[in-house]
PDB file of all heavy atoms in Angstrom:
ATOM      1  N   ALA A  20       0.819  -1.215  -0.014  1.00  0.00           N
ATOM      2  CA  ALA A  20       0.107  -0.025  -0.007  1.00  0.00           C
ATOM      3  C   ALA A  20       0.890   1.241  -0.137  1.00  0.00           C
ATOM      4  O   ALA A  20       1.647   1.416   0.929  1.00  0.00           O
ATOM      5  CB  ALA A  20      -0.891   0.078   1.194  1.00  0.00           C
ATOM      6  N   ILE A  21       0.726   2.093  -1.101  1.00  0.00           N
ATOM      7  CA  ILE A  21       1.527   3.239  -1.234  1.00  0.00           C
ATOM      8  C   ILE A  21       0.565   4.430  -1.064  1.00  0.00           C
ATOM      9  O   ILE A  21      -0.287   4.588  -1.987  1.00  0.00           O
ATOM     10  CB  ILE A  21       2.366   3.247  -2.608  1.00  0.00           C
ATOM     11  CG1 ILE A  21       3.288   2.113  -2.502  1.00  0.00           C
ATOM     12  CG2 ILE A  21       3.131   4.594  -2.722  1.00  0.00           C
ATOM     13  CD1 ILE A  21       3.983   1.844  -3.863  1.00  0.00           C
ATOM     14  N   GLY A  22       0.774   5.198  -0.138  1.00  0.00           N
ATOM     15  CA  GLY A  22      -0.081   6.453   0.021  1.00  0.00           C
ATOM     16  C   GLY A  22      -0.112   6.753   1.476  1.00  0.00           C
ATOM     17  O   GLY A  22       0.901   6.780   2.299  1.00  0.00           O
ATOM     18  N   SER A  23      -1.278   7.359   1.949  1.00  0.00           N
ATOM     19  CA  SER A  23      -1.492   7.764   3.329  1.00  0.00           C
ATOM     20  C   SER A  23      -0.895   9.195   3.584  1.00  0.00           C
ATOM     21  O   SER A  23      -0.230   9.657   2.683  1.00  0.00           O
ATOM     22  CB  SER A  23      -0.916   6.864   4.458  1.00  0.00           C
ATOM     23  OG  SER A  23       0.468   7.119   4.690  1.00  0.00           O
ATOM     24  N   CYS A  24      -1.399   9.725   4.634  1.00  0.00           N
ATOM     25  CA  CYS A  24      -0.960  11.152   4.924  1.00  0.00           C
ATOM     26  C   CYS A  24       0.551  11.344   5.178  1.00  0.00           C
ATOM     27  O   CYS A  24       1.177  12.359   5.222  1.00  0.00           O
ATOM     28  CB  CYS A  24      -1.686  11.769   6.009  1.00  0.00           C
ATOM     29  SG  CYS A  24      -1.618  10.926   7.686  1.00  0.00           S
ATOM     30  N   THR A  25       1.309  10.185   5.263  1.00  0.00           N
ATOM     31  CA  THR A  25       2.720  10.117   5.430  1.00  0.00           C
ATOM     32  C   THR A  25       3.456  10.109   4.144  1.00  0.00           C
ATOM     33  O   THR A  25       4.407  10.931   3.905  1.00  0.00           O
ATOM     34  CB  THR A  25       3.177   8.776   6.114  1.00  0.00           C
ATOM     35  OG1 THR A  25       2.275   8.699   7.262  1.00  0.00           O
ATOM     36  CG2 THR A  25       4.545   8.917   6.761  1.00  0.00           C
ATOM     37  N   ASN A  26       3.032   9.444   3.170  1.00  0.00           N
ATOM     38  CA  ASN A  26       3.801   9.263   2.025  1.00  0.00           C
ATOM     39  C   ASN A  26       2.800   9.167   0.647  1.00  0.00           C
ATOM     40  O   ASN A  26       2.968   8.183  -0.124  1.00  0.00           O
ATOM     41  CB  ASN A  26       4.696   8.036   1.977  1.00  0.00           C
ATOM     42  CG  ASN A  26       5.931   8.191   2.810  1.00  0.00           C
ATOM     43  OD1 ASN A  26       6.055   7.589   3.766  1.00  0.00           O
ATOM     44  ND2 ASN A  26       6.845   9.072   2.397  1.00  0.00           N
ATOM     45  N   SER A  27       2.122  10.277   0.402  1.00  0.00           N
ATOM     46  CA  SER A  27       1.261  10.376  -0.671  1.00  0.00           C
ATOM     47  C   SER A  27       1.380  11.498  -1.534  1.00  0.00           C
ATOM     48  O   SER A  27       0.544  11.764  -2.517  1.00  0.00           O
ATOM     49  CB  SER A  27      -0.247  10.106  -0.257  1.00  0.00           C
ATOM     50  OG  SER A  27      -0.562  11.339   0.487  1.00  0.00           O
ATOM     51  N   ARG A  28       2.575  12.148  -1.456  1.00  0.00           N
ATOM     52  CA  ARG A  28       2.704  13.442  -2.182  1.00  0.00           C
ATOM     53  C   ARG A  28       3.344  13.072  -3.483  1.00  0.00           C
ATOM     54  O   ARG A  28       3.748  11.886  -3.850  1.00  0.00           O
ATOM     55  CB  ARG A  28       3.645  14.292  -1.362  1.00  0.00           C
ATOM     56  CG  ARG A  28       3.065  14.652  -0.089  1.00  0.00           C
ATOM     57  CD  ARG A  28       4.034  15.216   1.024  1.00  0.00           C
ATOM     58  NE  ARG A  28       3.297  15.339   2.166  1.00  0.00           N
ATOM     59  CZ  ARG A  28       3.149  14.293   3.149  1.00  0.00           C
ATOM     60  NH1 ARG A  28       3.732  13.202   2.889  1.00  0.00           N
ATOM     61  NH2 ARG A  28       2.551  14.523   4.226  1.00  0.00           N
ATOM     62  N   ILE A  29       3.484  13.976  -4.464  1.00  0.00           N
ATOM     63  CA  ILE A  29       3.782  13.762  -5.773  1.00  0.00           C
ATOM     64  C   ILE A  29       5.275  13.234  -5.856  1.00  0.00           C
ATOM     65  O   ILE A  29       5.585  12.347  -6.602  1.00  0.00           O
ATOM     66  CB  ILE A  29       3.720  15.044  -6.641  1.00  0.00           C
ATOM     67  CG1 ILE A  29       4.060  14.667  -8.156  1.00  0.00           C
ATOM     68  CG2 ILE A  29       4.703  16.125  -6.223  1.00  0.00           C
ATOM     69  CD1 ILE A  29       3.023  13.811  -8.789  1.00  0.00           C
ATOM     70  N   THR A  30       6.156  13.735  -4.916  1.00  0.00           N
ATOM     71  CA  THR A  30       7.575  13.191  -4.843  1.00  0.00           C
ATOM     72  C   THR A  30       7.581  11.579  -4.461  1.00  0.00           C
ATOM     73  O   THR A  30       8.300  10.957  -4.923  1.00  0.00           O
ATOM     74  CB  THR A  30       8.332  13.988  -3.789  1.00  0.00           C
ATOM     75  OG1 THR A  30       7.593  14.132  -2.643  1.00  0.00           O
ATOM     76  CG2 THR A  30       8.679  15.309  -4.466  1.00  0.00           C
ATOM     77  N   ASP A  31       6.677  11.270  -3.472  1.00  0.00           N
ATOM     78  CA  ASP A  31       6.462   9.890  -3.173  1.00  0.00           C
ATOM     79  C   ASP A  31       6.103   9.053  -4.404  1.00  0.00           C
ATOM     80  O   ASP A  31       6.732   7.831  -4.515  1.00  0.00           O
ATOM     81  CB  ASP A  31       5.584   9.688  -2.082  1.00  0.00           C
ATOM     82  CG  ASP A  31       5.903  10.502  -0.788  1.00  0.00           C
ATOM     83  OD1 ASP A  31       7.105  10.397  -0.385  1.00  0.00           O
ATOM     84  OD2 ASP A  31       5.108  11.277  -0.244  1.00  0.00           O
ATOM     85  N   LEU A  32       5.174   9.515  -5.014  1.00  0.00           N
ATOM     86  CA  LEU A  32       4.671   8.771  -6.272  1.00  0.00           C
ATOM     87  C   LEU A  32       5.683   8.644  -7.374  1.00  0.00           C
ATOM     88  O   LEU A  32       5.710   7.615  -7.979  1.00  0.00           O
ATOM     89  CB  LEU A  32       3.292   9.404  -6.759  1.00  0.00           C
ATOM     90  CG  LEU A  32       2.096   9.555  -5.783  1.00  0.00           C
ATOM     91  CD1 LEU A  32       0.954  10.156  -6.486  1.00  0.00           C
ATOM     92  CD2 LEU A  32       1.827   8.092  -5.240  1.00  0.00           C
ATOM     93  N   ARG A  33       6.469   9.578  -7.607  1.00  0.00           N
ATOM     94  CA  ARG A  33       7.525   9.582  -8.504  1.00  0.00           C
ATOM     95  C   ARG A  33       8.605   8.636  -8.049  1.00  0.00           C
ATOM     96  O   ARG A  33       9.100   7.860  -8.872  1.00  0.00           O
ATOM     97  CB  ARG A  33       8.238  11.075  -8.661  1.00  0.00           C
ATOM     98  CG  ARG A  33       7.343  12.143  -9.330  1.00  0.00           C
ATOM     99  CD  ARG A  33       8.123  13.456  -9.122  1.00  0.00           C
ATOM    100  NE  ARG A  33       7.382  14.507  -9.789  1.00  0.00           N
ATOM    101  CZ  ARG A  33       7.383  15.834  -9.452  1.00  0.00           C
ATOM    102  NH1 ARG A  33       8.227  16.213  -8.572  1.00  0.00           N
ATOM    103  NH2 ARG A  33       6.626  16.631  -9.935  1.00  0.00           N
ATOM    104  N   MET A  34       8.939   8.513  -6.833  1.00  0.00           N
ATOM    105  CA  MET A  34       9.893   7.509  -6.295  1.00  0.00           C
ATOM    106  C   MET A  34       9.375   6.128  -6.649  1.00  0.00           C
ATOM    107  O   MET A  34      10.118   5.236  -7.116  1.00  0.00           O
ATOM    108  CB  MET A  34      10.145   7.760  -4.864  1.00  0.00           C
ATOM    109  CG  MET A  34      11.093   8.847  -4.351  1.00  0.00           C
ATOM    110  SD  MET A  34      11.642   8.687  -2.686  1.00  0.00           S
ATOM    111  CE  MET A  34      10.125   9.295  -1.827  1.00  0.00           C
ATOM    112  N   ALA A  35       8.084   5.942  -6.332  1.00  0.00           N
ATOM    113  CA  ALA A  35       7.579   4.497  -6.417  1.00  0.00           C
ATOM    114  C   ALA A  35       7.453   4.119  -8.000  1.00  0.00           C
ATOM    115  O   ALA A  35       7.867   3.180  -8.353  1.00  0.00           O
ATOM    116  CB  ALA A  35       6.139   4.446  -5.892  1.00  0.00           C
ATOM    117  N   ALA A  36       7.212   5.320  -8.783  1.00  0.00           N
ATOM    118  CA  ALA A  36       7.067   5.018 -10.193  1.00  0.00           C
ATOM    119  C   ALA A  36       8.371   4.621 -10.756  1.00  0.00           C
ATOM    120  O   ALA A  36       8.392   3.804 -11.780  1.00  0.00           O
ATOM    121  CB  ALA A  36       6.475   6.252 -10.971  1.00  0.00           C
ATOM    122  N   GLU A  37       9.405   5.183 -10.297  1.00  0.00           N
ATOM    123  CA  GLU A  37      10.771   4.879 -10.571  1.00  0.00           C
ATOM    124  C   GLU A  37      11.108   3.372 -10.561  1.00  0.00           C
ATOM    125  O   GLU A  37      11.770   2.720 -11.442  1.00  0.00           O
ATOM    126  CB  GLU A  37      11.880   5.711  -9.952  1.00  0.00           C
ATOM    127  CG  GLU A  37      13.387   5.572 -10.522  1.00  0.00           C
ATOM    128  CD  GLU A  37      13.499   6.119 -11.903  1.00  0.00           C
ATOM    129  OE1 GLU A  37      12.605   6.913 -12.361  1.00  0.00           O
ATOM    130  OE2 GLU A  37      14.516   5.697 -12.623  1.00  0.00           O
ATOM    131  N   VAL A  38      10.619   2.796  -9.478  1.00  0.00           N
ATOM    132  CA  VAL A  38      10.766   1.330  -9.338  1.00  0.00           C
ATOM    133  C   VAL A  38       9.952   0.450 -10.204  1.00  0.00           C
ATOM    134  O   VAL A  38      10.377  -0.477 -10.858  1.00  0.00           O
ATOM    135  CB  VAL A  38      10.544   0.933  -7.854  1.00  0.00           C
ATOM    136  CG1 VAL A  38      10.855  -0.533  -7.637  1.00  0.00           C
ATOM    137  CG2 VAL A  38      11.404   1.755  -6.952  1.00  0.00           C
ATOM    138  N   PHE A  39       8.768   0.979 -10.445  1.00  0.00           N
ATOM    139  CA  PHE A  39       7.693   0.289 -11.216  1.00  0.00           C
ATOM    140  C   PHE A  39       8.016   0.265 -12.730  1.00  0.00           C
ATOM    141  O   PHE A  39       7.631  -0.503 -13.446  1.00  0.00           O
ATOM    142  CB  PHE A  39       6.267   0.670 -10.906  1.00  0.00           C
ATOM    143  CG  PHE A  39       5.655   0.172  -9.818  1.00  0.00           C
ATOM    144  CD1 PHE A  39       5.439   1.152  -8.683  1.00  0.00           C
ATOM    145  CD2 PHE A  39       5.329  -1.133  -9.637  1.00  0.00           C
ATOM    146  CE1 PHE A  39       4.714   0.700  -7.528  1.00  0.00           C
ATOM    147  CE2 PHE A  39       4.754  -1.616  -8.422  1.00  0.00           C
ATOM    148  CZ  PHE A  39       4.420  -0.680  -7.404  1.00  0.00           C
ATOM    149  N   ARG A  40       8.744   1.327 -13.114  1.00  0.00           N
ATOM    150  CA  ARG A  40       8.950   1.527 -14.541  1.00  0.00           C
ATOM    151  C   ARG A  40       9.560   0.356 -15.280  1.00  0.00           C
ATOM    152  O   ARG A  40      10.680  -0.075 -14.850  1.00  0.00           O
ATOM    153  CB  ARG A  40       9.696   2.838 -14.751  1.00  0.00           C
ATOM    154  CG  ARG A  40       9.796   3.237 -16.153  1.00  0.00           C
ATOM    155  CD  ARG A  40      10.734   4.451 -16.329  1.00  0.00           C
ATOM    156  NE  ARG A  40      10.393   5.506 -15.458  1.00  0.00           N
ATOM    157  CZ  ARG A  40       9.613   6.519 -15.598  1.00  0.00           C
ATOM    158  NH1 ARG A  40       8.921   6.629 -16.697  1.00  0.00           N
ATOM    159  NH2 ARG A  40       9.435   7.457 -14.652  1.00  0.00           N
ATOM    160  N   GLY A  41       8.885  -0.302 -16.175  1.00  0.00           N
ATOM    161  CA  GLY A  41       9.391  -1.332 -17.026  1.00  0.00           C
ATOM    162  C   GLY A  41       9.337  -2.710 -16.079  1.00  0.00           C
ATOM    163  O   GLY A  41       9.824  -3.779 -16.522  1.00  0.00           O
ATOM    164  N   ARG A  42       8.697  -2.661 -14.972  1.00  0.00           N
ATOM    165  CA  ARG A  42       8.589  -3.871 -14.209  1.00  0.00           C
ATOM    166  C   ARG A  42       7.004  -4.220 -13.961  1.00  0.00           C
ATOM    167  O   ARG A  42       6.188  -3.403 -14.219  1.00  0.00           O
ATOM    168  CB  ARG A  42       9.190  -3.799 -12.839  1.00  0.00           C
ATOM    169  CG  ARG A  42      10.690  -3.626 -12.940  1.00  0.00           C
ATOM    170  CD  ARG A  42      11.360  -3.341 -11.598  1.00  0.00           C
ATOM    171  NE  ARG A  42      12.858  -3.503 -11.608  1.00  0.00           N
ATOM    172  CZ  ARG A  42      13.587  -2.312 -11.725  1.00  0.00           C
ATOM    173  NH1 ARG A  42      12.934  -1.237 -11.803  1.00  0.00           N
ATOM    174  NH2 ARG A  42      14.892  -2.376 -11.779  1.00  0.00           N
ATOM    175  N   ARG A  43       6.776  -5.351 -13.570  1.00  0.00           N
ATOM    176  CA  ARG A  43       5.522  -5.933 -13.265  1.00  0.00           C
ATOM    177  C   ARG A  43       5.272  -6.209 -11.669  1.00  0.00           C
ATOM    178  O   ARG A  43       6.313  -6.736 -11.013  1.00  0.00           O
ATOM    179  CB  ARG A  43       5.126  -7.105 -14.092  1.00  0.00           C
ATOM    180  CG  ARG A  43       4.995  -6.819 -15.529  1.00  0.00           C
ATOM    181  CD  ARG A  43       3.593  -6.266 -15.874  1.00  0.00           C
ATOM    182  NE  ARG A  43       2.355  -7.025 -15.394  1.00  0.00           N
ATOM    183  CZ  ARG A  43       1.139  -6.675 -15.373  1.00  0.00           C
ATOM    184  NH1 ARG A  43       0.906  -5.458 -15.943  1.00  0.00           N
ATOM    185  NH2 ARG A  43       0.199  -7.495 -14.925  1.00  0.00           N
ATOM    186  N   VAL A  44       4.177  -6.117 -11.180  1.00  0.00           N
ATOM    187  CA  VAL A  44       3.895  -6.544  -9.852  1.00  0.00           C
ATOM    188  C   VAL A  44       3.952  -8.041  -9.866  1.00  0.00           C
ATOM    189  O   VAL A  44       3.468  -8.683 -10.668  1.00  0.00           O
ATOM    190  CB  VAL A  44       2.447  -6.065  -9.379  1.00  0.00           C
ATOM    191  CG1 VAL A  44       2.037  -6.725  -8.102  1.00  0.00           C
ATOM    192  CG2 VAL A  44       2.237  -4.556  -9.315  1.00  0.00           C
ATOM    193  N   ALA A  45       4.696  -8.600  -8.739  1.00  0.00           N
ATOM    194  CA  ALA A  45       4.943  -9.929  -8.558  1.00  0.00           C
ATOM    195  C   ALA A  45       3.476 -10.706  -8.470  1.00  0.00           C
ATOM    196  O   ALA A  45       2.488 -10.210  -7.962  1.00  0.00           O
ATOM    197  CB  ALA A  45       5.706 -10.252  -7.262  1.00  0.00           C
ATOM    198  N   GLU A  46       3.423 -11.929  -8.889  1.00  0.00           N
ATOM    199  CA  GLU A  46       2.086 -12.801  -8.875  1.00  0.00           C
ATOM    200  C   GLU A  46       1.703 -12.979  -7.435  1.00  0.00           C
ATOM    201  O   GLU A  46       2.585 -13.210  -6.566  1.00  0.00           O
ATOM    202  CB  GLU A  46       2.488 -14.062  -9.565  1.00  0.00           C
ATOM    203  CG  GLU A  46       1.279 -15.006  -9.671  1.00  0.00           C
ATOM    204  CD  GLU A  46       1.548 -16.295 -10.379  1.00  0.00           C
ATOM    205  OE1 GLU A  46       2.571 -16.369 -10.921  1.00  0.00           O
ATOM    206  OE2 GLU A  46       0.606 -17.090 -10.442  1.00  0.00           O
ATOM    207  N   GLY A  47       0.492 -12.745  -7.210  1.00  0.00           N
ATOM    208  CA  GLY A  47      -0.043 -13.019  -5.882  1.00  0.00           C
ATOM    209  C   GLY A  47       0.044 -11.728  -4.996  1.00  0.00           C
ATOM    210  O   GLY A  47      -0.344 -11.926  -3.777  1.00  0.00           O
ATOM    211  N   VAL A  48       0.500 -10.615  -5.432  1.00  0.00           N
ATOM    212  CA  VAL A  48       0.548  -9.456  -4.668  1.00  0.00           C
ATOM    213  C   VAL A  48      -0.468  -8.380  -5.140  1.00  0.00           C
ATOM    214  O   VAL A  48      -0.531  -8.053  -6.312  1.00  0.00           O
ATOM    215  CB  VAL A  48       1.982  -8.829  -4.699  1.00  0.00           C
ATOM    216  CG1 VAL A  48       2.057  -7.583  -3.816  1.00  0.00           C
ATOM    217  CG2 VAL A  48       3.059  -9.737  -4.312  1.00  0.00           C
ATOM    218  N   ARG A  49      -1.195  -7.756  -4.165  1.00  0.00           N
ATOM    219  CA  ARG A  49      -2.193  -6.816  -4.565  1.00  0.00           C
ATOM    220  C   ARG A  49      -1.355  -5.475  -4.176  1.00  0.00           C
ATOM    221  O   ARG A  49      -0.954  -5.311  -3.045  1.00  0.00           O
ATOM    222  CB  ARG A  49      -3.437  -6.895  -3.642  1.00  0.00           C
ATOM    223  CG  ARG A  49      -4.486  -5.891  -3.962  1.00  0.00           C
ATOM    224  CD  ARG A  49      -5.608  -5.933  -3.019  1.00  0.00           C
ATOM    225  NE  ARG A  49      -6.564  -5.100  -3.422  1.00  0.00           N
ATOM    226  CZ  ARG A  49      -7.722  -4.801  -2.599  1.00  0.00           C
ATOM    227  NH1 ARG A  49      -7.748  -5.303  -1.409  1.00  0.00           N
ATOM    228  NH2 ARG A  49      -8.638  -4.085  -3.013  1.00  0.00           N
ATOM    229  N   VAL A  50      -1.540  -4.529  -5.057  1.00  0.00           N
ATOM    230  CA  VAL A  50      -0.754  -3.255  -4.843  1.00  0.00           C
ATOM    231  C   VAL A  50      -1.805  -2.046  -5.031  1.00  0.00           C
ATOM    232  O   VAL A  50      -2.524  -2.019  -5.923  1.00  0.00           O
ATOM    233  CB  VAL A  50       0.419  -3.050  -5.859  1.00  0.00           C
ATOM    234  CG1 VAL A  50       1.050  -1.688  -5.470  1.00  0.00           C
ATOM    235  CG2 VAL A  50       1.374  -4.047  -5.772  1.00  0.00           C
ATOM    236  N   LEU A  51      -1.879  -1.253  -3.913  1.00  0.00           N
ATOM    237  CA  LEU A  51      -2.756  -0.049  -3.937  1.00  0.00           C
ATOM    238  C   LEU A  51      -1.917   1.265  -3.880  1.00  0.00           C
ATOM    239  O   LEU A  51      -0.981   1.341  -3.137  1.00  0.00           O
ATOM    240  CB  LEU A  51      -3.644  -0.025  -2.743  1.00  0.00           C
ATOM    241  CG  LEU A  51      -4.318  -1.409  -2.243  1.00  0.00           C
ATOM    242  CD1 LEU A  51      -4.899  -1.157  -0.939  1.00  0.00           C
ATOM    243  CD2 LEU A  51      -5.196  -1.890  -3.292  1.00  0.00           C
ATOM    244  N   VAL A  52      -2.192   2.040  -4.886  1.00  0.00           N
ATOM    245  CA  VAL A  52      -1.345   3.481  -5.001  1.00  0.00           C
ATOM    246  C   VAL A  52      -2.484   4.481  -4.804  1.00  0.00           C
ATOM    247  O   VAL A  52      -3.461   4.597  -5.619  1.00  0.00           O
ATOM    248  CB  VAL A  52      -0.702   3.634  -6.254  1.00  0.00           C
ATOM    249  CG1 VAL A  52       0.161   4.871  -6.171  1.00  0.00           C
ATOM    250  CG2 VAL A  52       0.261   2.353  -6.453  1.00  0.00           C
ATOM    251  N   VAL A  53      -2.332   5.329  -3.772  1.00  0.00           N
ATOM    252  CA  VAL A  53      -3.310   6.302  -3.422  1.00  0.00           C
ATOM    253  C   VAL A  53      -2.794   7.639  -3.315  1.00  0.00           C
ATOM    254  O   VAL A  53      -2.056   8.002  -2.411  1.00  0.00           O
ATOM    255  CB  VAL A  53      -4.085   5.982  -2.000  1.00  0.00           C
ATOM    256  CG1 VAL A  53      -5.299   6.880  -1.827  1.00  0.00           C
ATOM    257  CG2 VAL A  53      -4.550   4.476  -2.002  1.00  0.00           C
ATOM    258  N   PRO A  54      -3.047   8.601  -4.312  1.00  0.00           N
ATOM    259  CA  PRO A  54      -2.470   9.944  -4.102  1.00  0.00           C
ATOM    260  C   PRO A  54      -3.171  10.652  -2.930  1.00  0.00           C
ATOM    261  O   PRO A  54      -4.352  10.360  -2.496  1.00  0.00           O
ATOM    262  CB  PRO A  54      -3.000  10.530  -5.495  1.00  0.00           C
ATOM    263  CG  PRO A  54      -4.133   9.811  -5.906  1.00  0.00           C
ATOM    264  CD  PRO A  54      -3.955   8.459  -5.442  1.00  0.00           C
ATOM    265  N   GLY A  55      -2.356  11.784  -2.473  1.00  0.00           N
ATOM    266  CA  GLY A  55      -2.864  12.363  -1.139  1.00  0.00           C
ATOM    267  C   GLY A  55      -3.925  13.399  -1.294  1.00  0.00           C
ATOM    268  O   GLY A  55      -4.505  13.881  -0.378  1.00  0.00           O
ATOM    269  N   SER A  56      -4.126  13.846  -2.628  1.00  0.00           N
ATOM    270  CA  SER A  56      -5.266  14.852  -2.804  1.00  0.00           C
ATOM    271  C   SER A  56      -5.533  14.856  -4.240  1.00  0.00           C
ATOM    272  O   SER A  56      -4.897  14.241  -5.179  1.00  0.00           O
ATOM    273  CB  SER A  56      -4.657  16.303  -2.313  1.00  0.00           C
ATOM    274  OG  SER A  56      -3.636  16.748  -3.358  1.00  0.00           O
ATOM    275  N   GLU A  57      -6.708  15.703  -4.623  1.00  0.00           N
ATOM    276  CA  GLU A  57      -7.007  15.824  -6.021  1.00  0.00           C
ATOM    277  C   GLU A  57      -5.836  16.442  -6.900  1.00  0.00           C
ATOM    278  O   GLU A  57      -5.716  16.171  -8.022  1.00  0.00           O
ATOM    279  CB  GLU A  57      -8.328  16.563  -6.155  1.00  0.00           C
ATOM    280  CG  GLU A  57      -9.580  15.721  -5.781  1.00  0.00           C
ATOM    281  CD  GLU A  57      -9.781  14.529  -6.740  1.00  0.00           C
ATOM    282  OE1 GLU A  57      -9.390  14.680  -7.934  1.00  0.00           O
ATOM    283  OE2 GLU A  57     -10.312  13.494  -6.371  1.00  0.00           O
ATOM    284  N   GLU A  58      -5.298  17.421  -6.219  1.00  0.00           N
ATOM    285  CA  GLU A  58      -4.303  18.148  -6.914  1.00  0.00           C
ATOM    286  C   GLU A  58      -3.084  17.129  -7.103  1.00  0.00           C
ATOM    287  O   GLU A  58      -2.523  17.252  -8.298  1.00  0.00           O
ATOM    288  CB  GLU A  58      -3.714  19.360  -6.040  1.00  0.00           C
ATOM    289  CG  GLU A  58      -2.541  20.175  -6.583  1.00  0.00           C
ATOM    290  CD  GLU A  58      -2.046  21.115  -5.723  1.00  0.00           C
ATOM    291  OE1 GLU A  58      -2.493  21.399  -4.518  1.00  0.00           O
ATOM    292  OE2 GLU A  58      -1.000  21.898  -6.043  1.00  0.00           O
TER     293      GLU A  58
END
């Protein structure tokens, strides 16, 4: 789970995206990504 009021800012999402880029979520893992605001 990536988000929450601790780590859901645009910089947090950029960090996570850098890891995901060109990769796939492992089989059997559920992944939630939640931005911190509409902005």
Side-chain angles (χ1 to χ4, degrees):
I21 299 171
S23 88
C24 58
T25 316
N26 282 116
S27 59
R28 298 162 190 86
I29 189 66
T30 47
D31 298 312
L32 300 180
R33 288 170 182 159
M34 281 192 286
E37 185 67 20
V38 181
F39 280 114
R40 194 185 306 272
R42 296 182 173 90
R43 290 282 303 174
V44 169
E46 186 176 353
V48 181
R49 183 188 187 193
V50 181
L51 316 175
V52 184
V53 187
S56 68
E57 283 295 330
E58 180 184 1

